[in-house]
Amino acid sequence: MPPNNAIAVEFRDVTYSLNRRPLVSNLNFTIGPGETVVLLGRSGSGKTTTMKLINSLLTPTTGEVRVEGMSTVEWNPIKLRRQIGYVIQETGLFPHFTVERNVGLVPSLEGWNSDRIRQRVFELLHLVGLDPQVFARRYPHELSGGQRQRIGVARSLAADPPILLMDEPFGALDPITRLELQGEFRRLQQDLGKTVVFVTHDIQEAFVLGSRIGLMQEGRLLLLGTKEEFLRSQLPEAQAFMQCLNRV
Amino acid sequence: MSDFFLFKYGWEILSHTGEHLFLVGISIGIATLVGIPLGILITRQPKFSQPILGIANIMQTIPSLALFGFLISVPPPIGGIGDTPAIVALTLYSLLPIIRNTYVGINGVDPAIREVGRGMGMTDRQLLFQVEIPLAIGVILAGVRVATVIAIGVATIAAAIGAGGLGVFVFRGIAVVNNQLILAGAVPAAVMAVLADFAIGWLEYLLTPTGTRKKEK
C-alpha cells in the first residue's frame, strides 16, 4: 500500500470499548502533515484514549486508525511507535537513565552507533535550550519540572519521527514555566513542522498551540476546527470552556 | 577456658561451616535461577500467578523438620538422605520469597514508565531488561536476601538427614545435653546469617541504578 502523504493520521469510524463500555465512539477525522491538532476536553472525555489509538497502545474495537496511509493493525507496532514521538506528563523519563541515555533511547533501540547517538543527543539538548555539558550526565531527579519536560520533548524528537503525540506535557508545570515552554514549543514546531497531536484540558493552551482544536466530551468529538470556528461555536461544552478564558 | 566451644571445636566448626555454606549456596543459587524467571513469567501471564505463588506458599508452610523427614521416604535422586534431599528442601523453601519479590517488584514499576517505554517502541524484552528489572532489582534482591537468611537457619536441620552442616553440633549437643556443643552450631550459623544479610544488602545497594538510589546511606 503506498503511503498517502496528504494525510498523516486518519480516524475512520473508530470506537474503542473496554468491558463493553465505549471510551471513545464514532471518531471520524483526519490530520494533515505538519498540523498541530489539540484535543481539548475534561478529564475522562477520551482524549488520551484517542491518542493511544494512534500509536497502537490501544487497538480500535471497531473502525480503523490509519497512520501515513496504513491501518495501525497492519503496522508492526514497534516500527509504528518508533515513527511517533511520545511525550507524557512528568513521569515519562526513566529514573535510572541519565539525561543522555533518556534522550538517546530510541536511537539506541534503533541500533545507531554511540558516536552518532551522542551527537544527536547534544544537538537535541541545544534545541530544547539545555547545555549538554551541564545536563547530559544528570539523572531526572536532579532536574526541575520544566527541565524534565524539555528532556521529554527532546527524547520524543530523537529519531526525527514525523508525528508527535503529547499528552498534557506541560500539565504539571507552574504557570510561568508553562508559558515559557509553550512559547518554545511553538518556535520548535515552526522550525520542525511535525504533525502533532496534543492533549490538554487547558483552553488557553489549546488556543496558543493548536492549528485546529478538537473538542471532546464523553468519548465523542463534538467539534474540530480552528480557533475562530471554536469561538463561534454555540455548543454548551465549547461555551463552558470559553468561560475559562481570562476572566480577570 | 579450653571448654569454650570456639577453642574446643575450632576445626570442626570450620569444616561444618563449609558444608553449611555449600548447602545454602547451591540451594539459593538454584532457587534464584528458577525463582526470578518464574516471578517474571507470572507478571507476563497473570493467570499463572495464583497457582505458582500458591504452591510456593504451601511449600513454606510445611514445617521444615517434616519436609526433611518426608524427603527421606522419597526415592533418590530427589529424596533419601544426604546432600541432595537437603538441597531440594532448602531450594523449595527459598522459592517463595524470591518469586514473590520478583513479581511484586516488577509489578511495582510505575505503569506510566512502562507505558511510555512501550509507546516509544520498546519490545517487551527491551522493556524487561532495560527498564523493569533495573527498577525492580532492589526488591528482587531483598527477596534473595530474606531467602538466604531463612535458608541458613533451616539448613541446621539438614543434619537430621545426614547432610552435615552446623546442625550436626546442635543435634549432638541436644543428644548429650551439652550447651557448648549447641553453641558451636548455633553461633556460627547466626554469624553467617548476619554476614549474608549484610553482603546481599551491599550487593543490593551496588546494583540499584544510581538515579533511583535513596539519598541516605
Side-chain angles (χ1 to χ4, degrees):
Chain A
M1 201 175 295
N4 182 347
N5 284 326
I7 296 172
V9 178
E10 181 178 11
F11 277 67
R12 288 187 185 168
D13 267 328
V14 174
T15 297
Y16 175 77
S17 316
L18 192 65
N19 303 326
R20 303 236 177 112
R21 203 171 63 87
L23 296 185
V24 296
S25 24
N26 303 315
L27 296 179
N28 273 298
F29 62 94
T30 57
I31 302 171
E35 215 182 356
T36 302
V37 167
V38 177
L39 297 175
L40 177 69
R42 307 183 195 203
S43 307
S45 59
K47 315 178 294 277
T48 301
T49 306
T50 306
M51 176 169 279
K52 287 179 183 167
L53 285 162
I54 299 175
N55 64 357
S56 200
L57 284 175
L58 301 175
T59 311
T61 311
T62 60
E64 61 171 359
V65 179
R66 301 176 77 85
V67 176
E68 297 188 330
M70 201 157 94
S71 165
T72 50
V73 291
E74 291 165 30
W75 276 92
N76 168 345
I78 302 298
K79 217 168 161 187
L80 173 71
R81 290 175 194 148
R82 289 189 192 165
Q83 303 257 337
I84 300 178
Y86 190 44
V87 189
I88 65 169
Q89 191 178 318
E90 249 326 327
T91 47
L93 297 179
F94 294 158
H96 60 304
F97 277 18
T98 58
V99 164
E100 184 171 351
R101 275 190 77 192
N102 263 298
V103 176
L105 178 71
V106 180
S108 81
L109 297 178
E110 292 279 287
W112 295 18
N113 70 45
S114 54
D115 285 345
R116 186 161 162 233
I117 294 176
R118 166 164 291 227
Q119 199 188 345
R120 179 68 180 150
V121 168
F122 278 38
E123 201 178 297
L124 284 162
L125 289 178
H126 278 302
L127 189 71
V128 296
L130 294 173
D131 181 359
Q133 302 299 339
V134 179
F135 290 97
R137 307 196 71 86
R138 290 204 187 168
Y139 284 93
H141 72 90
E142 300 168 311
L143 306 173
S144 71
Q147 288 164 347
R148 268 194 288 248
Q149 222 45 68
R150 284 166 205 248
I151 303 294
V153 172
R155 179 174 68 173
S156 71
L157 291 169
D160 205 18
I163 300 171
L164 279 188
L165 304 181
M166 307 181 84
D167 192 353
E168 296 193 33
F170 309 142
L173 302 177
D174 65 82
I176 299 170
T177 311
R178 188 184 312 165
L179 208 66
E180 212 174 279
L181 279 182
Q182 286 168 351
E184 285 180 32
F185 175 74
R186 277 185 63 141
R187 169 183 63 79
L188 214 61
Q189 178 52 5
Q190 274 157 14
D191 291 352
L192 302 174
K194 305 279 182 199
T195 308
V196 181
V197 180
F198 193 107
V199 160
T200 185
H201 50 228
D202 176 353
I203 185 170
Q204 306 214 33
E205 188 163 77
F207 278 3
V208 173
L209 301 178
S211 41
R212 282 193 297 162
I213 296 151
L215 180 64
M216 295 197 67
Q217 186 184 24
E218 289 168 7
R220 291 171 192 283
L221 187 66
L222 302 180
L223 164 84
L224 179 63
T226 61
K227 181 180 163 187
E228 289 68 31
E229 288 168 316
F230 191 95
L231 286 169
R232 283 198 302 271
S233 167
Q234 295 301 313
L235 290 165
E237 186 73 356
Q239 297 282 337
F241 266 106
M242 279 186 270
Q243 295 272 309
C244 311
L245 282 167
N246 287 327
R247 297 177 57 214
V248 188
Chain B
M1 194 66 190
S2 67
D3 241 14
F4 186 56
F5 68 86
L6 205 55
F7 301 115
K8 206 167 168 189
Y9 305 110
W11 287 109
E12 232 182 317
I13 288 179
L14 222 55
S15 82
H16 285 312
T17 301
E19 288 162 14
H20 207 92
L21 269 178
F22 171 77
L23 291 176
V24 172
I26 299 283
S27 312
I28 290 295
I30 297 172
T32 305
L33 289 180
V34 174
I36 292 180
L38 267 181
I40 291 169
L41 174 81
I42 58 177
T43 63
R44 295 331 201 227
Q45 305 287 336
K47 61 175 186 283
F48 294 138
S49 71
Q50 287 308 324
I52 288 184
L53 285 174
I55 292 169
N57 222 330
I58 290 168
M59 288 300 162
Q60 211 157 51
T61 59
I62 302 174
S64 43
L65 195 53
L67 183 59
F68 281 111
F70 171 74
L71 280 171
I72 295 178
S73 65
V74 174
I78 292 175
I81 55 166
D83 287 352
T84 322
I87 288 170
V88 170
L90 288 175
T91 304
L92 290 177
Y93 266 107
S94 310
L95 278 175
L96 179 68
I98 296 177
I99 297 177
R100 193 184 45 205
N101 275 44
T102 304
Y103 178 69
V104 168
I106 287 186
N107 274 349
V109 172
D110 184 349
I113 298 271
R114 194 177 292 136
E115 181 148 272
V116 86
R118 291 217 302 137
M120 281 186 308
M122 294 180 100
T123 60
D124 192 49
R125 203 185 175 79
Q126 288 164 337
L127 200 60
L128 180 66
F129 285 104
Q130 296 183 29
V131 179
E132 294 177 306
I133 291 180
L135 289 178
I137 196 74
V139 182
I140 295 174
L141 282 177
V144 176
R145 188 172 166 183
V146 170
T148 307
V149 172
I150 294 175
I152 291 172
V154 174
T156 48
I157 298 171
I161 57 167
L166 290 161
V168 170
F169 287 117
V170 178
F171 281 106
R172 222 198 300 161
I174 293 170
V176 300
V177 200
N178 179 341
N179 277 347
Q180 289 292 326
L181 260 173
I182 295 178
L183 284 177
V187 173
V191 170
M192 193 189 291
V194 171
L195 289 181
D197 189 46
F198 179 79
I200 302 175
W202 182 67
L203 192 69
E204 218 174 288
Y205 176 74
L206 281 187
L207 290 183
T208 303
T210 321
T212 56
R213 252 181 224 170
K214 293 189 192 74
K215 280 282 120 53
E216 61 277 351
K217 221 179 181 180

